[in-house]
Amino acid sequence: WTMRTLALLMLVAATEAVVPKQRAPRLADTPRRAYLRVGLAGALGAAAAARAPLSAAAKEAVVSDADLSKWKRELTPEQYHILFERGTERPFTSPLVNEKRPGTFSCAACGTKLFASSTKFNSGTGWPSFYDRLGTAVDRTSENRAIWALAGTEVHCSGCGGHLGDLFADGSLWQTPTGLRYCIDGLALKFEPATPPAET
């Protein structure tokens, strides 16, 4: 089994979505990881993700009750579920999948700038995909690249701790410069078009 074969298995698995509405799923039970439960890649990936140690950054991504109350008031129920209950939207439902204008993708909750449009690419998976983050705006649950390759690792906004999606080390399938694929929920993002240059 090569890394490319494992990555292809992960893509084939991502065809159906089961979005939990009643509870915040455990790390190994997030819907995007549920898609990976097929063949060898799924079996190894789910087990690896469940055992993955938290990085220092991820341990700090704890949202206070006061902030949770604030976000619950300000966000839609769907946005809150994804950002602060670790939910996942169904693939191909976000208009941001097809967003091609120059601009910046920010956190839908706190507004932290997360991704530049220049790093966005069409992965065909049904979620907005990026090959790099802006600076340290996106925290990763695990820094183990083997975990990224097999099962992905959750990523969070460094500003508010909101759950954004998952990071996979299969970007070479699309020949991305970093070899990475940030697979992000559109509802966790807010797109800000670039300001056109002023006419002189």
Side-chain angles (χ1 to χ4, degrees):
W1 295 85
T2 65
M3 190 66 69
R4 183 177 294 272
T5 301
L6 292 175
L8 285 172
L9 282 174
M10 290 191 286
L11 291 179
V12 171
T15 56
E16 295 182 0
V18 179
V19 182
K21 297 296 183 182
Q22 300 300 321
R23 66 180 179 85
R26 297 188 302 275
L27 177 61
D29 288 335
T30 54
R32 234 183 308 263
R33 287 184 178 80
Y35 305 148
L36 308 181
R37 290 174 186 162
V38 60
L40 179 62
L44 293 177
R51 295 194 303 269
L54 293 180
S55 68
K59 290 179 181 178
E60 295 172 0
V62 176
V63 186
S64 69
D65 290 341
D67 282 340
L68 285 176
S69 296
K70 171 189 175 184
W71 298 132
K72 200 158 195 173
R73 291 192 305 269
E74 296 183 2
L75 300 171
T76 67
E78 293 80 9
Q79 287 175 315
Y80 183 86
H81 175 62
I82 287 170
L83 282 159
F84 298 106
E85 294 178 334
R86 298 163 70 193
T88 300
E89 67 193 11
R90 294 183 182 278
F92 300 103
T93 58
S94 171
L96 294 183
V97 171
N98 298 315
E99 179 58 69
K100 295 180 172 63
R101 292 174 294 171
T104 305
F105 294 83
S106 303
C107 175
C110 69
T112 295
K113 297 183 185 301
L114 305 172
F115 302 99
S117 61
S118 58
T119 65
K120 187 175 184 289
F121 67 99
N122 181 14
S123 67
T125 59
W127 291 282
S129 298
F130 307 85
Y131 63 75
D132 206 357
R133 57 186 176 174
L134 283 173
T136 57
V138 179
D139 289 333
R140 301 178 287 227
T141 300
S142 171
E143 294 298 332
N144 186 334
R145 290 184 72 98
I147 299 297
W148 301 357
L150 287 172
T153 187
E154 288 188 36
V155 290
H156 305 82
C157 171
S158 64
C160 64
H163 165 80
L164 301 171
D166 298 277
L167 167 64
F168 298 92
D170 59 5
S172 59
L173 291 171
W174 297 272
Q175 299 181 330
T176 65
T178 60
L180 303 177
R181 172 172 59 96
Y182 287 85
C183 189
I184 307 299
D185 290 289
L187 283 171
L189 299 173
K190 177 174 57 179
F191 178 66
E192 303 170 9
T195 303
E199 295 185 4
T200 56

